[in-house]
Amino acid sequence: MSEARATIYTVARAVGVSAQTVSRVLNGTGQVSEKTRAAVFAAIEAQDYRPNAVGRSLRASRTPMIGVLVADIGNPFYARLHRAIERRVAGSGYSLMLMNCDDDAQIERHQLDLLRSYRPTGLVIVPSIGSSLSDDDLRAFGHVVSVSRVLDDVHVPAVVTNGREAVGDATAELLAHGHTEIAMILGPRKASTTRDREEGFNAALSRSPGCRGLVRHTDGTRSGGEAAASELLRTHPGVTGMIGFNALVTEGIVSAVRTAGRRCPDDVSIIGFTDAGWMTLYPPAISVIDQPVEEMGALAGDLLLDMASGKSVDPGPRVVPSTLIRRGSVAPPATTKERKA
Amino acid sequence: MSEARATIYTVARAVGVSAQTVSRVLNGTGQVSEKTRAAVFAAIEAQDYRPNAVGRSLRASRTPMIGVLVADIGNPFYARLHRAIERRVAGSGYSLMLMNCDDDAQIERHQLDLLRSYRPTGLVIVPSIGSSLSDDDLRAFGHVVSVSRVLDDVHVPAVVTNGREAVGDATAELLAHGHTEIAMILGPRKASTTRDREEGFNAALSRSPGCRGLVRHTDGTRSGGEAAASELLRTHPGVTGMIGFNALVTEGIVSAVRTAGRRCPDDVSIIGFTDAGWMTLYPPAISVIDQPVEEMGALAGDLLLDMASGKSVDPGPRVVPSTLIRRGSVAPPATTKERKA
DNA sequence: CTGAAAGCGCTTACAG
DNA sequence: CTGAAAGCGCTTACAG
């Protein structure tokens, strides 16, 4: 109680061995006689000794910690991603240190400096929208994996989904149902994910002459999505299909369609991106491009663990495919239905 | 590039001063001549020197980090809580280290040991359901604040909401609309939040003779909530009002009601606990006991910062009130409506 | 305004 | 199988 904090030395003294021997017992390195080992464990228990990770890290010039920097942990996508990384990394000896940057390039840099001061073993990063991070900035972390969004001119392993193809499929799905005027409500222009998905949308439409595609950029939030969708429904009453950039924007679209007095899927068909619990609850259930968040997080964890264990991992993107889940929010547009009838 | 990593010594040598002086410049402590200070900053820049937090922590026997241990970061409630704590703590010089425990008492203990090995300044904890943590376990962290759930026989400041009163209000709301058979789908029996809310439910009903209250315990997930609600609707067709323990359980209730072919609010009125984006999207919008997650996180951050700065903070709970938001999911039961008509 | 010495708790060579 | 010495990068007294 009143004794000073237990250290490797107080344990060593109690047993009558050197600190070095205690260290060996603790780490399971080298040879220690069974008798000594038992005595050390007994002293550890008696003193309630707990290793000090700070001393260990300082000596090793490295902390068994992996930094995770995301744009917004309040966004379920990032929360699930973090959880998936954590599950993969559990038991590997590494802990995770989570940081937020509110999608602000300056905060991102600040958080990264902070993280770096602890000399972590690696970093998993979802770069911020206007990120100014360079190869050099990331190289300082040793092992880096980027997830979801990709940084220009930076050569680190990245885990991404096939947004281009997936949105292409979703667009094709609407076209196949007879929609001829389709809108995509995107995220911020500078995000690589926005570019990918926009390309997929435009490519699919360019293959369908006579059909029109409309695109809007937003901040990727529910209110941003709602505002853009409302404006579109008002100014382009011919739009009968809409694709959301992410789950939040899709919430906004669904809300805007209802507020505008249109019905889904009778008047407007909707396809979301990234599944969410409410999408199966809503009537009609929302069709969605299901992003494999868990697989993406697990793969990012794998890559980092591989790099940390010395395996060489080549830079560049790993694509984990998203797939279209068909539910009830897509139907032929009213005009087509009438024509058929 | 090829030079060894910059340290306080390499900077000192370049300037021709002692390491001590560099430390003073870095920390803004003591007196340093303007000329020396400028020279030190120049050398820091030239060498791209970054302070090593590990060395600093070891010397200080304390790391400017606050551990945050929650049951499940995939649950939006905890994600929002973490975010709120982070916002409050930003700029204070402390970083947050987030850990998960999957509501498992054993993992909780393991994560806590890990965290403790870094000698953090404090801990914000949402205790796991079956937590075996004692006063001693937490005292080792120096400064501790518990949030949402409360630990028996542990005397640390806690930030909670008034679950008892809030559920009492919700129950009263249903009673006032003429419901006489009401169910509450709760979380795990051992959670303090379950006990609070259950008490509030029973207390409100005991004041209304002739009315019947039914209670079910679940694991607090959507599927748990859905199973319990389905069973109730099947075995107790007289139930016309249901209250959910949290947002996920409420999802389950809404789903079960629809699957059972009952309409909300015509056949069954529903009140949730903890607001979520989908609740205003769903038709009808779900009435909810709105839990002030942001305020709770901010208060927890405040308390910890106060304790860390030496202010004395007395143990015991701080209650941040939840309030009932009335939306469209509560109406008189069909039988009452018929009688009135 | 500035510096030499010691030490935070641990592990890495090195030597037996 | 075990130990004495040094050092990871920093800050805390102490002394000028």
Side-chain angles (χ1 to χ4, degrees):
Chain A
M1 295 297 139
S2 68
E3 24 180 347
R5 178 179 277 301
T7 71
I8 212 171
Y9 279 97
T10 62
V11 171
R13 196 168 315 127
V15 181
V17 297
S18 72
Q20 164 63 314
T21 295
V22 177
S23 171
R24 274 192 273 253
V25 171
L26 247 22
N27 296 291
T29 52
Q31 305 279 52
V32 182
S33 76
E34 197 40 61
K35 199 178 142 195
T36 307
R37 179 191 309 281
V40 167
F41 276 129
I44 285 174
E45 182 113 357
Q47 299 186 17
D48 192 28
Y49 164 75
R50 312 291 180 112
N52 183 325
V54 181
R56 189 189 314 229
S57 289
L58 182 58
R59 189 61 185 85
S61 304
R62 212 203 50 135
T63 304
M65 213 156 63
I66 292 169
V68 178
L69 182 58
V70 302
D72 173 14
I73 194 63
N75 181 331
F77 175 77
Y78 298 117
R80 285 171 62 198
L81 186 68
H82 176 266
R83 180 159 217 242
I85 299 169
E86 188 187 46
R87 293 208 163 154
R88 182 61 193 77
V89 161
S92 69
Y94 295 100
S95 332
L96 255 35
M97 184 164 171
L98 178 70
M99 319 214 77
N100 235 30
C101 77
D102 282 342
D103 242 328
D104 179 313
Q106 214 169 336
I107 299 180
E108 176 178 63
R109 196 168 279 279
H110 176 78
Q111 298 286 56
L112 240 30
D113 276 347
L114 198 60
L115 202 51
R116 195 176 149 189
S117 73
Y118 285 102
R119 305 293 187 261
T121 300
L123 171 72
V124 176
I125 184 171
V126 179
S128 75
I129 294 295
S131 184
S132 60
L133 262 23
S134 70
D135 244 2
D136 282 349
D137 291 321
L138 295 184
R139 219 192 308 276
F141 280 90
H143 309 305
V144 183
V145 174
S146 90
V147 183
S148 184
R149 306 210 275 234
V150 134
L151 241 18
D152 292 329
D153 305 319
V154 166
H155 303 94
V156 299
V159 176
V160 299
T161 190
N162 59 341
R164 197 180 192 288
E165 291 70 23
V167 170
D169 291 349
T171 310
E173 173 82 357
L174 291 171
L175 292 168
H177 278 80
H179 295 269
T180 54
E181 206 165 340
I182 304 174
M184 169 131 208
I185 313 288
L186 289 157
R189 224 175 269 275
K190 283 191 282 186
S192 64
T193 43
T194 294
R195 290 198 304 266
D196 278 359
R197 296 171 201 181
E198 185 166 2
E199 277 177 28
F201 181 68
N202 290 330
L205 276 162
S206 70
R207 282 183 240 110
S208 294
C211 293
R212 173 140 101 121
L214 290 151
V215 147
R216 289 296 181 273
H217 294 269
T218 73
D219 59 359
T221 64
R222 170 169 171 172
S223 62
E226 179 154 14
S230 294
E231 179 266 321
L232 262 170
L233 291 168
R234 206 171 47 243
T235 57
H236 297 262
V239 169
T240 57
M242 296 186 123
I243 302 176
F245 173 70
N246 62 16
L248 296 174
V249 165
T250 306
E251 269 188 53
I253 294 176
V254 169
S255 177
V257 166
R258 247 235 320 287
T259 304
R262 314 272 189 103
R263 285 165 312 161
C264 172
D266 313 74
D267 303 320
V268 182
S269 288
I270 300 174
I271 299 181
F273 202 123
T274 309
D275 204 9
W278 66 268
M279 292 186 180
T280 54
L281 213 55
Y282 193 79
I286 306 295
S287 296
V288 70
I289 298 162
D290 184 31
Q291 198 172 183
V293 191
E294 273 68 30
E295 285 85 338
M296 292 172 73
L299 180 53
D302 270 338
L303 287 171
L304 209 51
L305 256 22
D306 279 352
M307 295 164 89
S309 71
K311 283 188 201 136
S312 86
V313 166
D314 46 36
R318 268 78 175 159
V319 179
V320 188
S322 293
T323 49
L324 182 64
I325 300 182
R326 293 179 174 82
R327 298 205 271 238
S329 62
V330 175
T335 50
T336 308
K337 269 181 281 189
E338 280 155 20
R339 210 179 308 140
K340 277 185 184 164
Chain B
M1 294 298 142
S2 70
E3 26 179 349
R5 178 179 276 299
T7 71
I8 212 172
Y9 279 96
T10 62
V11 171
R13 196 168 314 127
V15 181
V17 296
S18 72
Q20 164 65 313
T21 295
V22 177
S23 171
R24 275 191 274 252
V25 171
L26 247 23
N27 296 291
T29 53
Q31 304 280 53
V32 182
S33 77
E34 197 39 60
K35 201 179 139 194
T36 307
R37 179 191 311 280
V40 167
F41 277 128
I44 285 175
E45 183 112 357
Q47 299 188 14
D48 192 29
Y49 165 75
R50 311 291 179 114
N52 182 325
V54 181
R56 189 190 311 229
S57 289
L58 182 58
R59 189 59 184 86
S61 303
R62 211 204 50 137
T63 303
M65 212 156 64
I66 293 169
V68 178
L69 182 59
V70 301
D72 173 13
I73 194 62
N75 181 333
F77 176 77
Y78 298 116
R80 285 170 61 198
L81 186 69
H82 176 266
R83 182 159 215 242
I85 299 168
E86 188 187 47
R87 292 209 163 153
R88 181 62 195 76
V89 161
S92 69
Y94 295 100
S95 333
L96 255 35
M97 184 164 171
L98 178 70
M99 319 214 75
N100 235 31
C101 77
D102 282 341
D103 242 328
D104 179 313
Q106 214 169 337
I107 299 181
E108 177 177 60
R109 196 168 278 279
H110 176 77
Q111 297 287 55
L112 240 31
D113 276 346
L114 198 59
L115 202 51
R116 194 175 150 189
S117 73
Y118 285 103
R119 305 294 187 261
T121 300
L123 172 72
V124 176
I125 184 172
V126 179
S128 75
I129 294 295
S131 184
S132 60
L133 262 23
S134 71
D135 244 1
D136 282 347
D137 291 320
L138 295 184
R139 218 192 308 278
F141 279 89
H143 309 304
V144 182
V145 174
S146 90
V147 183
S148 183
R149 307 210 275 233
V150 133
L151 241 19
D152 292 329
D153 304 318
V154 167
H155 303 94
V156 300
V159 176
V160 299
T161 191
N162 59 342
R164 198 179 191 289
E165 291 70 22
V167 170
D169 291 350
T171 310
E173 173 82 358
L174 291 171
L175 292 168
H177 276 81
H179 294 268
T180 54
E181 204 164 341
I182 303 173
M184 170 133 206
I185 313 287
L186 289 156
R189 224 176 269 276
K190 282 191 282 186
S192 64
T193 43
T194 294
R195 290 198 303 266
D196 279 359
R197 296 170 200 181
E198 183 166 3
E199 277 176 30
F201 181 70
N202 290 331
L205 277 162
S206 69
R207 283 182 241 111
S208 293
C211 292
R212 172 138 102 121
L214 290 152
V215 147
R216 289 294 180 276
H217 294 269
T218 73
D219 58 359
T221 64
R222 170 169 172 173
S223 61
E226 179 153 14
S230 294
E231 178 266 322
L232 262 170
L233 292 168
R234 205 171 48 242
T235 57
H236 298 262
V239 169
T240 57
M242 294 185 125
I243 302 176
F245 173 69
N246 62 16
L248 296 175
V249 165
T250 306
E251 270 189 52
I253 294 176
V254 169
S255 177
V257 167
R258 246 234 323 285
T259 304
R262 314 274 188 102
R263 284 165 314 162
C264 172
D266 313 74
D267 302 320
V268 182
S269 289
I270 300 175
I271 299 181
F273 202 122
T274 311
D275 203 8
W278 65 268
M279 292 186 181
T280 55
L281 212 56
Y282 194 79
I286 306 295
S287 296
V288 70
I289 298 163
D290 184 30
Q291 196 170 184
V293 192
E294 273 68 30
E295 285 85 337
M296 292 172 74
L299 180 54
D302 270 338
L303 288 171
L304 208 51
L305 255 24
D306 279 353
M307 295 164 89
S309 71
K311 284 188 200 137
S312 84
V313 165
D314 46 38
R318 268 77 176 160
V319 179
V320 187
S322 293
T323 49
L324 182 64
I325 300 181
R326 292 178 174 81
R327 298 204 271 237
S329 62
V330 176
T335 51
T336 308
K337 269 181 283 189
E338 281 155 21
R339 210 180 306 140
K340 276 185 186 166

